[in-house]
Amino acid sequence: MFKSVELGLKVFQEEYQKALPKLRADLLAAQLALKTTPVSVIVLVAGVEGAGKAQVVNTLTEWLDPRGVETNAFWPKSDEERARPRYWRFWRTLPGRGKIGIFFGSWYTDPIVLRVSGKTEEGDYERELQQIAAFEKMLAADGALIVKLWYHLSKKDQKKRLKKLENDPLTRWRVTKQDWKFHKMYDDFAVVSERAIQLTDTGEAPWHVIDASDRHYRELETGRVLLEAIQQRLDKLASAPARSRTAPPVPKRLDTATVLDRLPMDRVLSDKEYKNKLEKYQGQLNQLTWAAQNKDVATVVVFEGSDAAGKGGAIRRVTSAIDAKLYRVVPIAAPTDEERAHHYLWRFWRHLPHAGRIAIFDRSWYGRVLVERVEGFATSEEWMRAFNEINDFEAQMVEHGMVVVKFWVHISPEEQLKRFKERQQIAYKQHKITDEDWRNREKTNAYKLAANDMVTRTSTESAPWTLVPGNNKQYARIEILKTLCKRLEEAVG
């Protein structure tokens, strides 16, 4: 593959200066048109050492309007990054819709380097590449335009380039011992990198391999590739039909029982039992959260459920048992403008806890397959593919060593009505009831069907759902505390 681009292509200064003004003008025009679209552009700059990747990044930032460009360089992982799943550092830097993000280094860097150095096996490497391809496919399905640029030099040209840089006092600092070390491993890098390109060169995110032996050719070809990709996406948007986001009809009745119908809703605890068990499990939870802190085990707790099911009260019983330094409650409401400008998982990746800490989500990423599905805020294609996206998200957390605990708190329609009326009558609870809560009751069947699909399709061995009968608040709170203690005890011993 790489041999085929070692053509020694050259662009003379006169030709370069003639082509440059129009290319820059067209790029700026395309960038301006991009600003009002739902498309984010992700430019990956990769390739061999000495191929001028840093110069390419500098050139792009010079040619484009800096107000719409975000440049990210990835150094060795910081302590903050090592404390979270490996894709966290990339998710938090993804550009918003209408913007261009230039990635100098990316999710390809570590897998390639680790494979060449023999720190990963071939099978693990290929599985990592498959995960990368799935990640890019997910971003592309959400509207991202991924432009992957690989800058190539022959082994001979790389050596020549490194020596030239090293011999010039003004550029000597750019050549490191690692550059020469990698040059000695050039052939190994070529084999491993070719495999990466082969397995991740997809229709959604194709690779562009560019001969970097001549600076003028490298820069013009970079601009042309980026311009063509943006223009093609703009043309596609202009001809695409509008996507329907209308709310689907609400089933008048459900023909089959759901997983929620099987819950024993008559479970209760007496005041005495509740008091004794509350003290017991809160004490255990306090000890277990400190044990998790000492072992750098992070915990993610998700609360979903019916309106007025008692999620807030349950969360308070959990947090009152934990040292305030260890946890953070993340309340999830309608997304902000900034959050809507990104993939829906973006705002949740940002809140993943540091090692040893706890993040408690009051509502979560499951909104995509619940409220967004039922209310028509997401298209059927969007919420249907979300099941796999969510499973992968949680699998990455668990793979990193996090404990993921998910609760669905369920109450009967009769109990919900009783609590709604109570909220209306008690002054300090009136803020909890809204017109939307009443309107949602009319869609009970639609929400039950969505919840059934959610539980059956996202309850995995490593991140199972715990369904909690919530008609009796005391019983529900103890079940939640007991389950959380059990999961933490399994994790920390």
Side-chain angles (χ1 to χ4, degrees):
M1 177 193 296
F2 290 144
K3 290 292 183 181
S4 65
V5 298
E6 294 176 7
L7 303 177
L9 298 172
K10 288 185 176 295
V11 173
F12 293 104
Q13 179 72 13
E14 183 179 350
E15 181 184 355
Y16 177 77
Q17 293 297 336
K18 182 179 179 180
L20 189 58
K22 185 177 187 310
L23 177 60
R24 293 186 61 173
D26 289 345
L27 270 173
L28 283 171
Q31 183 187 8
L32 180 62
L34 188 73
K35 287 183 178 181
T36 57
T37 72
V39 178
S40 60
V41 179
I42 301 169
V43 182
L44 304 188
V45 176
V48 304
E49 300 303 318
K53 300 188 292 292
Q55 292 172 308
V56 166
V57 173
N58 290 337
T59 298
L60 286 176
T61 54
E62 178 186 348
W63 289 357
L64 297 166
D65 184 342
R67 292 169 293 182
V69 179
E70 303 164 359
T71 301
N72 301 285
F74 295 97
W75 300 90
K77 290 181 181 178
S78 65
D79 290 342
E80 185 181 26
E81 291 169 336
R82 280 192 295 270
R84 293 176 172 86
R86 62 186 182 279
Y87 277 65
W88 180 79
R89 69 196 308 222
F90 304 119
W91 270 98
R92 64 203 294 256
T93 54
L94 290 176
R97 305 188 197 281
K99 293 187 176 182
I100 299 173
I102 300 174
F103 284 63
F104 187 10
S106 67
W107 37 88
Y108 287 94
T109 306
D110 283 351
I112 290 175
V113 172
L114 291 173
R115 178 61 190 134
V116 171
S117 61
K119 294 180 180 179
T120 55
E121 298 296 328
E122 183 176 355
D124 293 332
Y125 177 58
E126 298 209 351
R127 279 189 289 274
E128 176 69 20
L129 295 177
Q130 290 167 359
Q131 185 175 24
I132 287 174
F135 172 57
E136 293 174 347
K137 183 177 181 179
M138 178 181 65
L139 296 179
D142 191 60
L145 171 61
I146 304 173
V147 182
K148 301 189 295 191
L149 307 171
W150 185 277
Y151 295 92
H152 181 68
L153 283 177
S154 67
K155 188 174 184 179
K156 179 181 177 181
D157 283 340
Q158 184 189 53
K159 184 177 182 180
K160 181 179 177 182
R161 182 76 56 84
L162 291 175
K163 279 191 172 182
K164 181 179 179 181
L165 291 171
E166 198 172 55
N167 291 334
D168 187 337
L170 297 178
T171 59
R172 185 176 299 152
W173 61 272
R174 290 169 55 185
V175 182
T176 66
K177 290 182 179 179
Q178 180 172 276
D179 293 330
W180 284 114
K181 178 182 177 182
F182 284 176
H183 172 69
K184 292 179 181 178
M185 304 167 73
Y186 180 94
D187 294 333
D188 293 333
F189 268 104
V191 171
V192 171
S193 300
E194 278 194 354
R195 188 61 177 154
I197 291 173
Q198 288 169 354
L199 288 182
T200 60
D201 186 30
T202 64
E204 299 90 0
W207 276 103
H208 303 272
V209 182
I210 297 174
D211 182 357
S213 58
D214 178 73
R215 180 178 68 86
H216 290 155
Y217 173 80
R218 180 189 67 207
E219 291 184 1
L220 288 181
E221 187 65 11
T222 296
R224 289 165 181 161
V225 167
L226 180 58
L227 175 62
E228 183 180 2
I230 295 175
Q231 287 179 334
Q232 286 181 352
R233 178 57 61 88
L234 292 172
D235 291 343
K236 186 177 180 180
L237 283 175
S239 60
R243 294 195 295 177
S244 173
R245 293 183 184 271
T246 56
V250 178
K252 293 183 179 179
R253 64 186 182 86
L254 298 179
D255 295 329
T256 58
T258 69
V259 292
L260 303 180
D261 294 318
R262 303 189 186 103
L263 287 176
M265 302 304 296
D266 57 347
R267 297 288 176 85
V268 297
L269 277 183
S270 67
D271 291 344
K272 183 178 180 180
E273 287 179 302
Y274 174 67
K275 182 178 179 181
N276 291 337
K277 291 189 175 185
L278 182 66
E279 184 176 355
K280 171 186 175 181
Y281 288 116
Q282 284 186 328
Q284 286 185 13
L285 183 59
N286 180 272
Q287 294 177 343
L288 287 165
T289 52
W290 275 114
Q293 160 69 12
N294 292 334
K295 292 191 175 183
D296 285 337
V297 175
T299 306
V300 172
V301 187
V302 172
F303 281 89
E304 293 284 358
S306 315
D307 292 333
K311 297 182 294 297
I315 290 172
R316 284 192 293 275
R317 271 63 184 185
V318 170
T319 57
S320 62
I322 307 172
D323 191 298
K325 297 188 291 292
L326 299 182
Y327 74 85
R328 180 187 178 199
V329 177
V330 185
I332 299 300
T336 64
D337 288 344
E338 182 187 23
E339 290 166 342
R340 277 193 294 269
H342 291 81
H343 190 283
Y344 74 96
L345 287 176
W346 176 78
R347 61 171 171 162
F348 303 110
W349 271 97
R350 299 169 78 207
H351 291 303
L352 291 187
H354 191 278
R357 306 294 174 79
I358 303 160
I360 301 172
F361 287 86
D362 185 357
R363 303 291 190 185
S364 69
W365 41 93
Y366 284 99
R368 172 55 58 109
V369 296
L370 291 170
V371 64
E372 292 185 41
R373 166 184 173 173
V374 173
E375 302 298 335
F377 300 146
T379 65
S380 58
E381 292 82 2
E382 288 170 337
W383 65 256
M384 286 176 70
R385 68 171 180 260
F387 294 117
N388 284 335
E389 294 171 350
I390 288 170
N391 284 338
D392 182 68
F393 176 38
E394 293 173 353
Q396 290 185 59
M397 290 188 239
V398 173
E399 181 186 356
H400 184 69
M402 291 181 166
V403 179
V404 180
V405 190
K406 305 182 299 192
F407 295 108
W408 176 274
V409 188
H410 186 61
I411 56 174
S412 65
E414 296 77 19
E415 179 64 22
Q416 185 185 61
L417 180 60
K418 175 185 173 183
R419 294 184 187 182
F420 276 12
K421 289 181 177 179
E422 181 184 71
R423 288 180 174 184
Q424 285 183 319
Q425 294 167 2
I426 301 175
Y428 65 83
K429 289 188 176 183
Q430 288 175 356
H431 71 282
K432 293 184 177 182
I433 187 73
T434 65
D435 291 340
E436 186 175 339
D437 293 324
W438 288 106
R439 185 176 60 82
N440 286 347
R441 273 183 60 83
E442 299 173 4
K443 298 187 175 184
T444 296
N445 284 341
Y447 276 101
K448 279 185 69 176
L449 185 61
N452 182 76
D453 289 346
M454 177 199 74
V455 171
T456 56
R457 298 182 67 173
T458 63
S459 192
T460 62
E461 184 176 352
S462 58
W465 276 102
T466 298
L467 306 182
V468 182
N471 278 1
N472 181 266
K473 292 181 180 180
Q474 297 184 155
Y475 176 83
R477 292 166 184 171
I478 296 304
E479 282 299 297
I480 287 167
L481 285 167
K482 183 167 63 175
T483 301
L484 191 50
C485 286
K486 180 181 178 183
R487 294 293 305 282
L488 281 173
E489 191 169 21
E490 291 170 351
V492 302

